[in-house]
């Protein structure tokens, strides 16, 4: 049995073609080759916290994966990150634990950013002239880093509500070679960018339909619960293409959930990401279309990122826990 | 974060007053102080296997526990045990992983045997003259071992269908100081014993109501699914007291489930184990009563056994994984 801590996981990730794994995962999901039971949940009041257990497997692969992810919102008062978690990869033929990834929640951020890059690769306009980011946190940074190999553009504008966080973001991304502008005005982003990623936990839309230029692609990754919403539902109404990572899941959460409630989209017009990746359905067909992708996070991403790491290290004795398997 | 392998777990168990933890767990459960969501499940066809994720917490304690348990029924062909598993204990205030118990399914056997001893302590007749065991497997052995401190009787008769397994059982238990008879006839057990434990995976009753002597206590631990049944439902009808480890759970599985279906018991007459342990309800009130306890296995047992181990080793650096917490 292998165990990796966060630093080891980060090191292994550098050698993985993660986007290929994530793409294959979404394709398998849309082809109904993924078995993903309902999420398990524990909720705590005092101190406030929630724990989610996501699990499942690809029917044609040899693994099943269980992810435990938590958010304890008073943790920062104790000097701890609010999010935490780990992933367990098992042998689907024997039930043996193959690999324990003590990722502290990091892989969830990474697989979310990787999904953003997969979406941009297939749905962004041919020439991205400026990238707009809503949310100057870790996900706002990771989304840009994962876009590096997908789009040539190095000009970004970041929206946030906290000037200190925006300044920190600017300095960090400039150190990575980007030209960065910060703003607290959503319109400055919408009017200058044709690739926009929203990565905030807001419960009230921050990007409005009348701000959106033709030819823009928007990926919304912040809303993963029924009460969160980043996009004015009318944006999905004016969009030429609306993509869901999981149509089933988006019926109950995310931007599409709100747009369905407001009758801004019809379920039958939704397109699932895996069907676009497999070439089964069209995504963007011209550079002046408006496209929207709603990424609520699917366990198949957790399955694939765990598997990707395990397949690199499975013969490396450095990661072996003791000399025994369980 | 602490990690213990199976040998380390076995060693730590020796120093724990496990019955006290299990009793306290059942009491808390019956007092509605345990939060135990529905069990998560993965089912596999080829090779056949199932995985169960049981989890929860006691509201007045500082931990939550997630248990992953699997059964892969072709494993013996590969020289592996069919059952496997691990338990994870987390800090309920921060979500931090405190302890990983790589118990390979062993702790599930132990907590089941410990529950059997708790039941016998409170429900067996004053003087046990012979103990009957149905099932010569690991659970049949552990039940006897856990009874050692509860009843003085060292005379046992074991029922099984495989003579080799019976012989192995006899030799093993004789080496522990017991006088052992083996049988393939259920009546030989019922006619000579006033404490009977059934620990088989049978789907057809092996013990019939007309065999039961007055003054007998029966603990059934084998039936943990709706399709398994060890006791003729009429045994529950003639019993003076019918105990459930969890009334809620026994409505859908175990001996009580079958007896309810056959109208051999009424739901309102069921007594929950924790209420007997707390002195809130009477269990056995005379030595000539017939009492039955149906143990289907409750996650509170997993919570308590994990906690019991952790509380012994939490300051022992020998079990620390690296020098970092996640």
């Amino acid at each position: 049995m292998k165990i990796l801590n966060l630093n080891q996981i980060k090191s292994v990730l550098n050698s993985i073609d993660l986007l290929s794994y994530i793409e294959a995962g979404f394709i398998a999901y849309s082809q109904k080759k993924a078995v993903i039971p309902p999420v398990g949940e524990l909720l705590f009041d005092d101190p406030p916290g929630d724990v989610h257990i996501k699990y499942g497997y690809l029917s044609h692969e040899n693994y099943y994966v269980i992810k435990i992810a938590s958010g304890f919102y008073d943790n920062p008062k104790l000097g701890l990150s609010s999010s935490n978690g780990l992933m367990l990869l098992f042998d689907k033929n024997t039930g043996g634990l193959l690999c324990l990834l003590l990722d502290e929640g990091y892989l969830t951020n990474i697989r979310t950013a990787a999904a953003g890059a997969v979406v941009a690769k297939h749905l962004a306009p041919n020439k991205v002239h400026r990238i707009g980011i809503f949310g100057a946190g870790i996900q706002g940074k990771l989304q840009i880093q994962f876009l590096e190999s997908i789009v040539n553009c190095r000009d970004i504008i970041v929206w946030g509500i906290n000037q200190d966080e925006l300044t920190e973001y600017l300095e960090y991304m400039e150190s990575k070679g980007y030209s960065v502008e910060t703003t607290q005005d959503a319109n400055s982003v919408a009017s200058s960018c044709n690739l926009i990623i929203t990565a905030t936990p807001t419960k009230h839309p921050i990007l409005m339909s009348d701000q959106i230029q033709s030819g823009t692609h928007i990926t919304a990754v912040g809303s993963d619960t029924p009460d969160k919403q980043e996009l004015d539902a009318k944006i999905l109404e004016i969009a030429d293409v609306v993509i869901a990572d999981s149509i089933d899941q988006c019926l109950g959460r995310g931007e599409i959930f709100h747009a369905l409630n407001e009758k801004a989209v019809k379920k039958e017009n939704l397109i699932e990401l895996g069907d676009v990746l497999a070439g089964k359905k069209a995504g963007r067909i011209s550079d002046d279309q408006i496209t929207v992708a709603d990424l609520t996070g699917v366990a198949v991403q957790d399955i694939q990122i765990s598997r990707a790491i395990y397949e690199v290290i499975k013969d490396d004795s450095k990661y072996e826990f003791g000399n025994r398997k369980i």
Side-chain angles (χ1 to χ4, degrees), chain A residues 229 232-239 242 255-267 269-270:
Chain A
Q229 182 180 10
D232 173 14
K234 280 211 179 325
I235 293 177
L236 283 75
E237 188 169 355
I238 64 169
V242 177
E255 307 305 329
I256 287 171
F257 166 68
H258 290 283
L260 285 166
N261 279 350
E262 296 183 30
K263 300 194 189 308
V265 290
K266 289 179 181 168
K267 183 185 165 187
N269 292 336
L270 299 173

Side-chain angles (χ1 to χ4, degrees), chain A residues 156-175:
Chain A
I156 59 183
I157 177 169
V158 59
W159 175 97
I161 47 175
N162 179 319
Q163 189 55 54
D164 287 347
E165 196 178 44
L166 285 172
T167 302
E168 195 274 333
Y169 186 96
L170 178 141
E171 288 168 359
Y172 179 81
M173 292 312 302
E174 282 192 344
S175 77

Side-chain angles (χ1 to χ4, degrees), chain A residues 2 49 57 139-141 200 214 234 241-242 278 300 314 321:
Chain A
K2 304 289 193 288
Y57 61 92
Q139 189 58 224
K141 291 172 186 165
T200 74
S214 70
K234 280 211 179 325
V241 181
V242 177
V300 75
K314 64 182 176 182
F321 176 69

Side-chain angles (χ1 to χ4, degrees), chain A residues 105-160:
Chain A
Y106 180 74
L107 288 175
T108 298
N109 288 331
I110 292 295
R111 58 82 150 158
T112 302
V118 165
V119 165
K121 180 176 162 191
H122 291 266
L123 288 154
N126 261 323
K127 186 166 169 44
V128 173
H129 52 77
R130 196 178 209 200
I131 305 168
I133 292 283
F134 284 81
I138 174 73
Q139 189 58 224
K141 291 172 186 165
L142 287 171
Q143 287 284 341
I144 294 294
Q145 288 174 239
F146 271 86
L147 284 173
E148 189 180 4
S149 63
I150 304 296
V151 297
N152 293 323
C153 176
R154 297 292 177 263
D155 182 19
I156 59 183
I157 177 169
V158 59
W159 175 97

